[in-house]
């Protein structure tokens, strides 16, 4: 499983943390259906059940970038990026369906209709000679729980692993009654008619 690690390791990371691809992926990599050949990826699995997550994107200048938000039903409620936001970056509050409240000033709210979501981040990369510049941008991406906003938040570096998960087939994990099923947060939000990416 992509999140069954104690800290970010290669292309895997715990929930609510980024895994950064530092080189172009091999054609054999099937983590997503088809990787771009001119971007470096930053992927994060998120859990929005308890509270919003604040996604910070640094200024990107003229460089193409996108942070595609993919909900539990594989729809895209928002995709902030160079086309929609420009090169200034910004702070985006990912808000699950059951949270009520107000986000801090200056935060752009993104309502996600399921409490689990994937961030598919991509930053244009002009080849291996451009890797260092893109790595510096990737390292400035952050995910901070709303309750920790305004503090010197550091993501946990030793997330406990649930015993048996790595060896349990995914269908069995989804159906496990003791956890309500991995997809229970998505199941509480029936499939909806997508409104189109913003």
């Amino acid at each position: 499983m992509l999140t069954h690690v104690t800290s970010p390791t290669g292309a895997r990371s715990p929930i609510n943390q980024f895994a950064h691809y530092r080189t172009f992926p091999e054609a054999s990599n099937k983590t997503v259906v088809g990787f771009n050949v001119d971007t470096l990826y930053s992927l994060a699995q998120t859990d929005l059940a308890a509270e919003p997550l604040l996604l910070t994107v640094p200024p990107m200048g003229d460089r193409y970038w996108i942070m595609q938000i993919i909900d539990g039903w594989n729809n895209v409620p928002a995709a902030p990026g160079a086309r929609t936001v420009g090169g200034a970056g910004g702070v985006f509050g990912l808000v699950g369906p059951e949270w009520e409240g107000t986000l801090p000033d200056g935060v752009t709210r993104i309502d996600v209709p399921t409490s689990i979501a994937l961030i598919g981040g991509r930053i244009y990369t002009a080849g291996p000679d451009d890797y260092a510049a893109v790595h510096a941008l990737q390292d400035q991406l952050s995910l901070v729980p709303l309750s920790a906003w305004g503090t010197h938040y550091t993501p946990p570096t030793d997330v406990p692993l649930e015993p048996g998960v790595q060896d349990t087939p995914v269908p069995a994990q989804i159906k496990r009654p003791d956890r309500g099923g991995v997809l229970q947060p998505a199941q509480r939000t029936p499939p909806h008619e997508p409104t189109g990416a913003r």
Side-chain angles (χ1 to χ4, degrees):
M1 295 187 69
L2 294 177
T3 58
H4 192 67
V5 288
T6 60
S7 62
T9 306
R12 300 168 68 195
S13 65
I15 292 284
N16 296 342
Q17 296 188 42
F18 274 108
H20 300 297
Y21 280 76
R22 300 301 199 175
T23 60
F24 292 134
E26 297 291 330
S28 59
N29 189 322
K30 302 300 181 190
T31 303
V32 299
V33 174
F35 280 99
N36 296 122
V37 296
D38 59 357
T39 63
L40 291 187
Y41 279 70
S42 294
L43 305 178
Q45 306 276 347
T46 66
D47 181 352
L48 308 174
E51 62 179 322
L53 277 179
L54 302 189
L55 162 64
T56 299
V57 177
M60 295 284 186
D62 294 334
R63 189 181 293 268
Y64 171 83
W65 65 279
I66 189 168
M67 294 289 140
Q68 185 177 20
I69 312 302
I70 304 166
D71 71 17
W73 298 107
N74 209 35
N75 294 316
V76 179
R83 180 181 62 81
T84 58
V85 175
V91 182
F92 306 91
L94 308 183
V95 178
E98 298 176 7
W99 186 80
E100 296 179 6
T102 304
L103 295 175
D105 289 343
V107 175
T108 300
R109 181 176 177 133
I110 294 175
D111 289 301
V112 181
T114 57
S115 28
I116 56 173
L118 168 71
I119 300 172
R122 304 189 288 285
I123 303 172
Y124 173 73
T125 309
D129 290 345
D130 201 22
Y131 282 169
V134 177
H135 294 171
L137 294 170
Q138 289 178 311
D139 290 342
Q140 294 176 71
L141 295 171
S142 70
L143 288 170
V144 177
L146 177 60
S147 60
W149 186 249
T151 69
H152 296 289
Y153 175 77
T154 302
T157 57
D158 192 16
V159 177
L161 299 179
E162 185 171 341
V165 169
Q166 189 65 31
D167 302 319
T168 305
V170 172
Q173 292 182 44
I174 291 171
K175 296 175 183 175
R176 278 179 55 181
D178 60 316
R179 297 178 67 203
V182 171
L183 294 182
Q184 185 182 24
Q187 290 167 343
R188 285 199 306 262
T189 309
H192 58 283
E193 195 65 36
T195 57
R198 288 174 276 166

